Amino acid sequence: MIVVGSGARHLEDEIRKLGGEVLDVEIKKFPDGEKYVRVFGSGDEALVVQSTFKPQDENLIELLLIGDALRERGFENLSAIVPYLAYSRQDRVTREGEPVSVRAIMRALGLYYDELYVFDLHNPETLRFFPGKAVNLSPARAIAEYFGEKLGDGIILAPDKGARERARVVAEKLGLEYSHFEKRRISPTEVQMWPVDIDVKGKNVLIVDDIISTGGTMVRAANLLREMGAEKIFVAATHGVFAEGAIERVSKAVDELAVTNTIPTPVSRISIVPDIVSL
Amino acid sequence: MIVVGSGARHLEDEIRKLGGEVLDVEIKKFPDGEKYVRVFGSGDEALVVQSTFKPQDENLIELLLIGDALRERGFENLSAIVPYLAYSRQDRVTREGEPVSVRAIMRALGLYYDELYVFDLHNPETLRFFPGKAVNLSPARAIAEYFGEKLGDGIILAPDKGARERARVVAEKLGLEYSHFEKRRISPTEVQMWPVDIDVKGKNVLIVDDIISTGGTMVRAANLLREMGAEKIFVAATHGVFAEGAIERVSKAVDELAVTNTIPTPVSRISIVPDIVSL
């Protein structure tokens, strides 16, 4: 039994096509701006799919309201599937006086949901803030499938050391080599970067990250690979949190940019729906 | 120690003027739309003032983030003062499958706040959903003070029986008579209404309600009082949740419309700040 929130409408057709039983739900706004939700049907267990991209706070509150409605209808076991979790990058106090915002969100979701499934969480350690069972799903299968043929015997690269594990998993699924970019600040305004211990010359390359925001790093990495003689250059990310103009900037610098559909964007061509339906 | 959220900025100057010690707080939005908050200062106890009018969900999430930041800074006792509580009218399931939205909100606030203070809650029974101490403050003092002189030996009226207690309290503070409007449906499209057991002829009248939304009832009540020979007609409400055009419609029908500043509107001339500062 699957309930689809406003932030997952773009996934609904595919969920149905892959055999998910979707409950009807009415979601609207009152004239004063308050959300109204109503769920039809009953049962014991439900998966609520709600991605929490912009307007993040509305999508989050809606997820709580759906939870309340389902509990009221007698559902006993509720799972929240949140392909993109808002506030996941506010995962630590970097300056005194800041909240750990993702903690507040996880705790609030814990009021209604027994289980939480997210995709490629920015900092997986923050899963501990969710009081129930919390699972970080990987989009590696979907990304590997989408780019496998295009890559041929290419290389997978992470844009920085922290993203290396993601590159490793995608590479493993395709039986390819992988590495990451090292960065070194060489002046207050200049950072040097280079792919570590790998020869990209004549190779197709896929750079994989969790989030693309401004796309600045991706553009620089792509330009560098081009100079180093790479063949085709592809960029993939799980979450397309694109700042104004970022899609165009990255697209111009590479042969193809594609992200998953945790957030609907013009380049969300990689689907994580099979991973949801198989839950 | 008082922290003022985005939804209470309009109260800040008066809070300071009345002697409230306001902590500095930085509140902004990241380019992707996520809220960022940071509080400066430390202590044991804090009152966080945050009204949750439109954009309701943003103001609610911000209130959670401020709570998380204050806990992180070591504050032990946190009170939320929410002059207008969003979702307070979604206080029961009227059609199967609906949530009790105000319950979800109260439970979420309970994650960070020990005490909750609201003004003139639509359904005070819903206070029980808040896990800590929850208090419903009355704006009667402020309304009585604002309209006392203008009313002279006038009358206080509630627009319906359910609002009678509010009228009683305001009347008591001014030593005036009070009553309420009775309503009877006389055809599918027509409702008759009349003030019960009270003569309004030649008297100034103040109609008091909790929320004015479309203002339709207020306009009808005012027109009726005019026909019955009332002298000056005033309308007051706690929360000015005005629909488009409502302020103009009601203002045209009465001698003065004034609401409290739980929500900032052009007619929010009655201040509840003294009630906050005295907490």
PDB file of all heavy atoms in Angstrom, chain B residues 85-97:
ATOM      1  N   LEU B  85      -1.431  30.023  15.998  1.00  0.00           N
ATOM      2  CA  LEU B  85      -0.982  28.662  15.718  1.00  0.00           C
ATOM      3  C   LEU B  85      -1.631  28.151  14.435  1.00  0.00           C
ATOM      4  O   LEU B  85      -2.852  27.969  14.367  1.00  0.00           O
ATOM      5  CB  LEU B  85      -1.327  27.726  16.873  1.00  0.00           C
ATOM      6  CG  LEU B  85      -0.806  26.291  16.696  1.00  0.00           C
ATOM      7  CD1 LEU B  85       0.717  26.246  16.857  1.00  0.00           C
ATOM      8  CD2 LEU B  85      -1.463  25.331  17.658  1.00  0.00           C
ATOM      9  N   ALA B  86      -0.798  27.913  13.437  1.00  0.00           N
ATOM     10  CA  ALA B  86      -1.296  27.373  12.175  1.00  0.00           C
ATOM     11  C   ALA B  86      -1.969  26.022  12.409  1.00  0.00           C
ATOM     12  O   ALA B  86      -1.635  25.317  13.353  1.00  0.00           O
ATOM     13  CB  ALA B  86      -0.147  27.206  11.183  1.00  0.00           C
ATOM     14  N   TYR B  87      -2.879  25.684  11.547  1.00  0.00           N
ATOM     15  CA  TYR B  87      -3.577  24.400  11.557  1.00  0.00           C
ATOM     16  C   TYR B  87      -4.516  24.229  12.750  1.00  0.00           C
ATOM     17  O   TYR B  87      -5.044  23.149  12.971  1.00  0.00           O
ATOM     18  CB  TYR B  87      -2.596  23.218  11.490  1.00  0.00           C
ATOM     19  CG  TYR B  87      -1.851  23.169  10.165  1.00  0.00           C
ATOM     20  CD1 TYR B  87      -0.579  23.704  10.032  1.00  0.00           C
ATOM     21  CD2 TYR B  87      -2.468  22.634   9.051  1.00  0.00           C
ATOM     22  CE1 TYR B  87       0.081  23.693   8.813  1.00  0.00           C
ATOM     23  CE2 TYR B  87      -1.813  22.606   7.826  1.00  0.00           C
ATOM     24  CZ  TYR B  87      -0.538  23.133   7.720  1.00  0.00           C
ATOM     25  OH  TYR B  87       0.108  23.122   6.511  1.00  0.00           O
ATOM     26  N   SER B  88      -4.734  25.315  13.530  1.00  0.00           N
ATOM     27  CA  SER B  88      -5.564  25.160  14.726  1.00  0.00           C
ATOM     28  C   SER B  88      -7.022  24.891  14.383  1.00  0.00           C
ATOM     29  O   SER B  88      -7.761  24.346  15.208  1.00  0.00           O
ATOM     30  CB  SER B  88      -5.435  26.391  15.628  1.00  0.00           C
ATOM     31  OG  SER B  88      -5.735  27.564  14.921  1.00  0.00           O
ATOM     32  N   ARG B  89      -7.435  25.242  13.159  1.00  0.00           N
ATOM     33  CA  ARG B  89      -8.819  24.945  12.776  1.00  0.00           C
ATOM     34  C   ARG B  89      -9.001  23.531  12.261  1.00  0.00           C
ATOM     35  O   ARG B  89     -10.122  23.063  12.108  1.00  0.00           O
ATOM     36  CB  ARG B  89      -9.305  25.967  11.732  1.00  0.00           C
ATOM     37  CG  ARG B  89      -9.592  27.323  12.371  1.00  0.00           C
ATOM     38  CD  ARG B  89     -10.055  28.319  11.338  1.00  0.00           C
ATOM     39  NE  ARG B  89      -8.945  28.756  10.491  1.00  0.00           N
ATOM     40  CZ  ARG B  89      -9.057  29.628   9.484  1.00  0.00           C
ATOM     41  NH1 ARG B  89     -10.241  30.121   9.184  1.00  0.00           N
ATOM     42  NH2 ARG B  89      -8.013  29.989   8.789  1.00  0.00           N
ATOM     43  N   GLN B  90      -7.901  22.847  11.969  1.00  0.00           N
ATOM     44  CA  GLN B  90      -8.004  21.441  11.553  1.00  0.00           C
ATOM     45  C   GLN B  90      -7.875  20.594  12.826  1.00  0.00           C
ATOM     46  O   GLN B  90      -6.886  19.917  13.057  1.00  0.00           O
ATOM     47  CB  GLN B  90      -6.926  21.106  10.523  1.00  0.00           C
ATOM     48  CG  GLN B  90      -7.091  21.906   9.220  1.00  0.00           C
ATOM     49  CD  GLN B  90      -6.224  21.376   8.092  1.00  0.00           C
ATOM     50  OE1 GLN B  90      -6.248  20.183   7.781  1.00  0.00           O
ATOM     51  NE2 GLN B  90      -5.435  22.243   7.480  1.00  0.00           N
ATOM     52  N   ASP B  91      -8.915  20.669  13.620  1.00  0.00           N
ATOM     53  CA  ASP B  91      -8.874  20.155  14.986  1.00  0.00           C
ATOM     54  C   ASP B  91      -9.666  18.876  15.191  1.00  0.00           C
ATOM     55  O   ASP B  91      -9.767  18.380  16.313  1.00  0.00           O
ATOM     56  CB  ASP B  91      -9.376  21.229  15.955  1.00  0.00           C
ATOM     57  CG  ASP B  91     -10.823  21.629  15.664  1.00  0.00           C
ATOM     58  OD1 ASP B  91     -11.283  21.412  14.517  1.00  0.00           O
ATOM     59  OD2 ASP B  91     -11.492  22.143  16.560  1.00  0.00           O
ATOM     60  N   ARG B  92     -10.242  18.352  14.120  1.00  0.00           N
ATOM     61  CA  ARG B  92     -10.988  17.095  14.233  1.00  0.00           C
ATOM     62  C   ARG B  92     -11.137  16.488  12.849  1.00  0.00           C
ATOM     63  O   ARG B  92     -10.982  17.177  11.841  1.00  0.00           O
ATOM     64  CB  ARG B  92     -12.361  17.352  14.839  1.00  0.00           C
ATOM     65  CG  ARG B  92     -13.339  18.030  13.881  1.00  0.00           C
ATOM     66  CD  ARG B  92     -14.555  18.550  14.592  1.00  0.00           C
ATOM     67  NE  ARG B  92     -14.198  19.727  15.378  1.00  0.00           N
ATOM     68  CZ  ARG B  92     -14.956  20.241  16.358  1.00  0.00           C
ATOM     69  NH1 ARG B  92     -16.093  19.658  16.693  1.00  0.00           N
ATOM     70  NH2 ARG B  92     -14.582  21.332  16.998  1.00  0.00           N
ATOM     71  N   VAL B  93     -11.450  15.190  12.837  1.00  0.00           N
ATOM     72  CA  VAL B  93     -11.705  14.504  11.571  1.00  0.00           C
ATOM     73  C   VAL B  93     -13.175  14.727  11.218  1.00  0.00           C
ATOM     74  O   VAL B  93     -14.058  14.228  11.906  1.00  0.00           O
ATOM     75  CB  VAL B  93     -11.410  12.996  11.708  1.00  0.00           C
ATOM     76  CG1 VAL B  93     -11.842  12.250  10.456  1.00  0.00           C
ATOM     77  CG2 VAL B  93      -9.923  12.775  11.980  1.00  0.00           C
ATOM     78  N   THR B  94     -13.432  15.507  10.176  1.00  0.00           N
ATOM     79  CA  THR B  94     -14.832  15.690   9.783  1.00  0.00           C
ATOM     80  C   THR B  94     -15.200  14.725   8.662  1.00  0.00           C
ATOM     81  O   THR B  94     -16.350  14.354   8.514  1.00  0.00           O
ATOM     82  CB  THR B  94     -15.116  17.141   9.332  1.00  0.00           C
ATOM     83  OG1 THR B  94     -14.169  17.509   8.348  1.00  0.00           O
ATOM     84  CG2 THR B  94     -14.996  18.099  10.508  1.00  0.00           C
ATOM     85  N   ARG B  95     -14.202  14.321   7.861  1.00  0.00           N
ATOM     86  CA  ARG B  95     -14.436  13.297   6.846  1.00  0.00           C
ATOM     87  C   ARG B  95     -13.342  12.252   6.976  1.00  0.00           C
ATOM     88  O   ARG B  95     -12.171  12.587   7.133  1.00  0.00           O
ATOM     89  CB  ARG B  95     -14.430  13.914   5.439  1.00  0.00           C
ATOM     90  CG  ARG B  95     -15.677  14.792   5.216  1.00  0.00           C
ATOM     91  CD  ARG B  95     -15.707  15.334   3.795  1.00  0.00           C
ATOM     92  NE  ARG B  95     -14.517  16.116   3.524  1.00  0.00           N
ATOM     93  CZ  ARG B  95     -14.196  16.580   2.310  1.00  0.00           C
ATOM     94  NH1 ARG B  95     -14.978  16.323   1.286  1.00  0.00           N
ATOM     95  NH2 ARG B  95     -13.108  17.297   2.144  1.00  0.00           N
ATOM     96  N   GLU B  96     -13.771  10.992   6.895  1.00  0.00           N
ATOM     97  CA  GLU B  96     -12.842   9.883   7.052  1.00  0.00           C
ATOM     98  C   GLU B  96     -11.592  10.049   6.197  1.00  0.00           C
ATOM     99  O   GLU B  96     -11.702  10.375   5.020  1.00  0.00           O
ATOM    100  CB  GLU B  96     -13.563   8.596   6.636  1.00  0.00           C
ATOM    101  CG  GLU B  96     -13.151   7.387   7.437  1.00  0.00           C
ATOM    102  CD  GLU B  96     -14.052   6.208   7.110  1.00  0.00           C
ATOM    103  OE1 GLU B  96     -14.128   5.846   5.911  1.00  0.00           O
ATOM    104  OE2 GLU B  96     -14.665   5.665   8.043  1.00  0.00           O
ATOM    105  N   GLY B  97     -10.451   9.830   6.801  1.00  0.00           N
ATOM    106  CA  GLY B  97      -9.204   9.909   6.048  1.00  0.00           C
ATOM    107  C   GLY B  97      -8.459  11.216   6.274  1.00  0.00           C
ATOM    108  O   GLY B  97      -7.353  11.390   5.771  1.00  0.00           O
TER     109      GLY B  97
END
